[in-house]
Amino acid sequence: MPEKVGIYVCHCGSNIAGTIDVEEVAKWAGENIDDVAVARDYKFMCSSLGQKMIEEDIQQKGLNRVVVAACSPSLHEKTFRRACQNAGMNPYLFQMANIREQISWVCQDKEVGTQKAKALVCAAAERVKRHKPLEPMKVKVNPATLVVGGGIAGLQATLELADAGYHVYLVEREPSIGGHMAQFDKTFPTLDCSACILTPRMSEVGQHENVTLLTYSELEEVSGSVGEFKVKVRKKARYVKEDLCTGCGICVSKCPKKVVDHDFEAGLGHRPAIYTPFPQAVPRIPVIDTDSCIWFERGKCRACEKVCPTNAIDYEQEDEIVELEVGNIILATGWKLFDCEKLPQYGHGRLPNVYTSMEFERLCNAAGPTGGKIVLRDGKTEPESVAIIHCVGSRDARHNSYCSSVCCMAAMKFGHLVLEKTKADVYSCYIDLRCNMKDYEEFYQRLLGEGMHFVRGKVAEVTEASRTPFENGKLVVQLEDTLLGRQRRIPVDMVILMGALEPQADSKEMGLKCGLSCGTSGWFTERHPKLDPVATMTDGVFVAGACQGPKDIPASVAQGAAAAARVQSMIARGVVSIEPIVASIDEDRCSGCRVCNNVCPYGAIDFNAEKEVSVINTALCKGCGTCVAACPANAISGAHFTDEQVFAEIEGVLWDAGQDEGQAPEEPQREADSVVA
């Protein structure tokens, strides 16, 4: 059957027509490109009338190939594929030429822009003639879902899915769910008690019939693809039998060994060698810290075993690998705090009364080591002056160039708590204040009214070296006040460092397990930053919360719910369609060198040891073409991007090669049955 190509050139209002002679491009295409049966221009091809025009031409003129020259394929390729499909044509016999972003928006010369538009249209037309009909692949979706991370985003996603009647496996590496929010005292800007908001949700997740809670566990391996993932989870040994433990806490209270709690209490408090992280922990099953337990150190003690009324202590317990089958995965692995000792000029770890933001959270928490009293390291002296330093490790080209988003508001929350609980003067040393969410600006105005001092300038150092009697025994914060235009030395008793929010240390390894990539800063990369912020380039894997980038609690909750909604829609459909634009291997030509196995960014290629050839998992393949380019035997081809199609496109874009500038191409005139509108 001969090809009958329809070409449609969009004005896009004046977006394209302002710098490209659209009518000329359409007329030229109809007269000079072989096999073109229809060539039209229209104001808005993406409109319902524009789509109807394509559908009618396919049905009435027998078109079997369509080219639309308009904007980016990422915006409207699906729109025009759907129009072709509605008219009975295979949607993959369509090709789009981007003449807006690639020409109109970057070109000022209309004549040059018109010539380039002709080249791109010709390239698309030559390519589409060699397209083959493709059919999407259908995959059944397992209704069970894996959520990795038990912070507020992970809890929200879990509850949304569980309440909808779907089973959820929630994996959390710490002994309890709750994440960083469990460490906070209050939340800005409403100053709600963090525990009052969080713990009911923790309890609901822990008791939900549709939730299997796997705490003190880590994701070990992911295989399979959307709808049918196979997951291995390492459930670490607690040395406590979960089915026998009642959470009575006798073992914790009787343990003779006490160590500094660097995890939940940020180094300000102590805990026994067998412990639960905090009183509201879910589940309330303790964990033995083998690095500090006397039995594991010296083979003595066993006090917890002796006092346990249910015989739940098991010193011989080992890690367990749990295998799960799920249809979708939501990553909500959260963030970690910047190591403020990397900036020695601020004195953390060297000057005793310099605190990180997390240390101060525990200091002012009513359930913290001081019962909520704001005191210096001696445990009894109340500060008379406090400095809060913003952007420690953020907006810094040497460490993290991005803004950590929440630090300005957290600093103001700290200032309010200090003013509320003490009579101290509070100085907030900032670069720029970024209070751009609901009620944030009002909170800033509130702090101004409460008497918090805002000093604009980047702090150079925090020192104990005094220059005046007034500075003796004080920490001196030195900076340039850019509003006053002079250097200042501010003597204070306490300094709080607002450390940057950073990706988890193993975010790249986690991404590799799930087929995700990370940006230059280490945060997980979403499919589209604006139009698809919770999906990823791996179908069936979603991100939620601060693992994608710094964000506050409301944004994390919203993203957790959004990720759950995306999963629910896939489960409700029962099956998902996978793009057929994938690679394939000619087994007769494959030498079994395994080069493709190592270069595939999605882990979609396995090696069949029996046949000694590589095999592509089409459900995981994204058709990126990396393996096609890498194969030394030329045994791999990419559907929709064959050599024939690509070379035809190149020849099309070079239609005027060898012609004098401005000279019409020496192309044969169109046949009489061509339609030019």
Side-chain angles (χ1 to χ4, degrees):
M1 180 179 178
E3 287 80 10
K4 297 183 72 174
V5 183
I7 294 179
Y8 303 87
V9 188
C10 183
H11 291 245
C12 197
S14 60
N15 266 312
I16 294 174
T19 50
I20 295 174
D21 189 340
V22 173
E23 293 89 346
E24 167 63 20
V25 173
K27 181 181 178 182
W28 176 89
E31 293 176 348
N32 294 279
I33 301 177
D34 290 337
D35 303 316
V36 173
V38 177
R40 304 184 188 274
D41 63 89
Y42 191 68
K43 288 289 184 183
F44 295 100
M45 284 305 306
C46 61
S47 66
S48 57
L49 292 177
Q51 296 177 56
K52 186 177 180 181
M53 180 191 301
I54 296 173
E55 293 174 17
E56 289 178 349
D57 284 349
I58 292 173
Q59 293 170 341
Q60 296 173 9
K61 301 185 183 298
L63 301 182
N64 54 20
R65 301 288 191 280
V66 170
V67 172
V68 175
C71 55
S72 168
S74 64
L75 292 178
H76 282 301
E77 185 174 52
K78 287 184 178 180
T79 302
F80 297 118
R81 279 184 179 175
R82 191 182 307 114
C84 293
Q85 190 171 24
N86 292 341
M89 192 181 91
N90 188 286
Y92 294 94
L93 300 178
F94 162 82
Q95 180 67 16
M96 197 164 183
N98 184 354
I99 62 172
R100 188 178 72 173
E101 285 84 346
Q102 293 183 1
I103 304 177
S104 181
W105 284 2
V106 295
C107 181
Q108 302 300 320
D109 189 317
K110 193 164 187 175
E111 183 177 349
V112 172
T114 301
Q115 287 296 102
K116 184 177 179 181
K118 291 178 181 179
L120 293 190
V121 169
C122 186
E126 294 302 326
R127 185 190 207 284
V128 80
K129 294 176 193 177
R130 288 138 178 103
H131 280 194
K132 304 296 182 184
L134 300 175
E135 294 296 334
M137 297 173 284
K138 302 290 185 180
V139 177
K140 289 185 178 180
V141 179
N142 186 326
T145 302
L146 175 73
V147 176
V148 184
I152 187 60
L155 294 179
Q156 183 68 30
T158 298
L159 284 175
E160 295 279 353
L161 289 165
D163 287 343
Y166 304 118
H167 198 84
V168 181
Y169 297 97
L170 177 56
V171 175
E172 167 58 46
R173 67 171 47 169
E174 299 298 330
S176 169
I177 56 176
H180 288 297
M181 191 174 171
Q183 297 174 276
F184 298 164
D185 179 33
K186 295 185 178 180
T187 61
F188 57 78
T190 54
L191 299 175
D192 297 294
C193 170
S194 181
C196 299
I197 302 171
L198 180 66
T199 51
R201 296 208 165 189
M202 292 168 56
S203 298
E204 192 175 351
V205 167
Q207 298 170 14
H208 208 293
E209 65 274 11
N210 289 330
V211 177
T212 297
L213 201 54
L214 298 170
T215 55
Y216 207 51
S217 304
E218 295 195 22
L219 185 63
E220 191 80 3
E221 182 182 316
V222 177
S223 59
S225 56
V226 56
E228 47 187 23
F229 289 108
K230 294 182 180 179
V231 177
K232 292 182 180 179
V233 175
R234 179 175 294 275
K235 194 172 182 182
K236 294 182 286 187
R238 288 177 179 264
Y239 303 100
V240 176
K241 297 177 182 177
E242 296 183 41
D243 56 336
L244 296 180
C245 179
T246 62
C248 65
I250 296 176
C251 58
V252 177
S253 63
K254 298 297 183 180
C255 180
K257 183 70 177 289
K258 299 294 187 291
V259 296
V260 176
D261 186 353
H262 290 286
D263 298 321
F264 190 79
E265 296 293 357
L268 297 186
H270 294 77
R271 61 165 171 76
I274 182 170
Y275 69 99
T276 51
F278 52 99
Q280 301 87 4
V282 175
R284 279 188 56 82
I285 299 172
V287 174
I288 295 179
D289 178 4
T290 57
D291 292 333
S292 56
C293 175
I294 297 174
W295 168 253
F296 284 96
E297 283 181 340
R298 304 195 296 267
K300 299 179 179 180
C301 186
R302 300 176 79 101
C304 53
E305 183 184 52
K306 296 171 184 175
V307 300
C308 180
T310 60
N311 298 316
I313 305 299
D314 180 7
Y315 295 112
E316 304 300 323
Q317 195 177 72
E318 296 180 351
D319 292 358
E320 177 186 356
I321 299 297
V322 180
E323 296 187 6
L324 309 172
E325 293 185 0
V326 296
N328 294 276
I329 299 172
I330 298 176
L331 296 181
T333 51
W335 56 276
K336 71 178 181 69
L337 188 66
F338 173 73
D339 181 4
C340 294
E341 292 187 17
K342 291 181 179 179
L343 294 173
Q345 64 268 34
Y346 293 148
H348 184 256
R350 176 171 54 87
L351 304 176
N353 291 312
V354 176
Y355 293 78
T356 66
S357 54
M358 193 56 72
E359 288 174 339
F360 188 78
E361 286 281 6
R362 298 309 303 158
L363 188 69
C364 65
N365 195 304
T370 64
K373 294 180 181 179
I374 298 177
V375 292
L376 301 181
R377 295 277 184 183
D378 61 11
K380 55 185 179 182
T381 306
E382 189 175 279
E384 296 179 357
S385 52
V386 177
I388 304 173
I389 300 177
H390 294 228
C391 300
V392 177
S394 296
R395 304 179 67 190
D396 185 338
R398 297 169 299 173
H399 298 285
N400 301 300
S401 58
Y402 55 83
C403 169
S404 287
S405 177
V406 302
C407 306
C408 289
M409 290 300 297
M412 283 188 264
K413 178 187 75 172
F414 291 162
H416 168 82
L417 294 173
V418 172
L419 293 168
E420 181 182 60
K421 296 183 178 184
T422 72
K423 297 180 180 179
D425 292 323
V426 181
Y427 299 88
S428 185
C429 304
Y430 68 97
I431 301 175
D432 294 298
L433 286 176
R434 298 183 172 179
C435 314
N436 56 355
M437 300 300 286
K438 183 180 179 181
D439 296 333
Y440 285 10
E441 179 66 20
E442 290 78 2
F443 192 67
Y444 165 61
Q445 296 296 332
R446 174 179 177 176
L447 266 294
L448 285 175
E450 291 179 357
M452 188 170 174
H453 306 290
F454 290 89
V455 184
R456 188 176 187 274
K458 187 172 179 63
V459 173
E461 68 171 337
V462 177
T463 179
E464 284 183 312
S466 60
R467 295 182 183 175
T468 65
F470 185 65
E471 295 177 355
N472 288 341
K474 300 279 189 177
L475 296 172
V476 179
V477 178
Q478 183 162 320
L479 76 162
E480 180 185 1
D481 189 324
T482 58
L483 296 180
L484 295 179
R486 64 181 179 85
Q487 291 285 330
R488 290 186 63 179
R489 289 172 60 86
I490 305 174
V492 295
D493 298 314
M494 176 187 288
V495 172
I496 304 170
L497 304 179
M498 304 306 299
L501 273 61
E502 291 187 327
Q504 294 285 7
D506 62 346
S507 61
K508 291 185 179 179
E509 290 78 3
M510 180 66 72
L512 288 173
K513 291 175 185 176
C514 299
L516 305 189
S517 60
C518 296
T520 54
S521 300
W523 305 104
F524 291 137
T525 302
E526 63 286 318
R527 184 183 292 271
H528 192 286
K530 295 179 179 64
L531 303 179
D532 213 349
V534 298
T536 68
M537 292 304 294
T538 298
D539 291 335
V541 179
F542 301 86
V543 290
C547 65
Q548 183 212 13
K551 50 181 62 70
D552 59 12
I553 292 169
S556 296
V557 170
Q559 204 167 25
R566 294 293 299 275
V567 170
Q568 285 185 53
S569 69
M570 296 177 71
I571 297 173
R573 290 199 303 268
V575 295
V576 292
S577 296
I578 299 177
E579 277 278 294
I581 303 174
V582 296
S584 60
I585 295 178
D586 183 348
E587 294 186 1
D588 293 334
R589 302 185 69 173
C590 179
S591 64
C593 66
R594 307 191 194 187
V595 169
C596 57
N597 301 53
N598 297 323
V599 300
C600 179
Y602 301 100
I605 307 179
D606 299 316
F607 185 73
N608 186 324
E610 184 178 338
K611 294 184 178 181
E612 295 187 341
V613 295
S614 291
V615 180
I616 293 178
N617 182 341
T618 54
L620 285 177
C621 178
K622 300 300 173 189
C624 67
T626 304
C627 59
V628 179
C631 180
N634 199 27
I636 309 179
S637 59
H640 215 57
F641 288 90
T642 64
D643 289 351
E644 182 187 15
Q645 292 164 352
V646 173
F647 285 130
E649 189 171 14
I650 293 171
E651 289 179 7
V653 83
L654 298 174
W655 66 271
D656 59 346
Q659 301 294 323
D660 293 333
E661 185 176 351
Q663 180 180 340
E666 297 180 0
E667 298 279 359
Q669 292 295 311
R670 289 294 301 120
E671 299 175 6
D673 62 350
S674 297
V675 179
V676 180

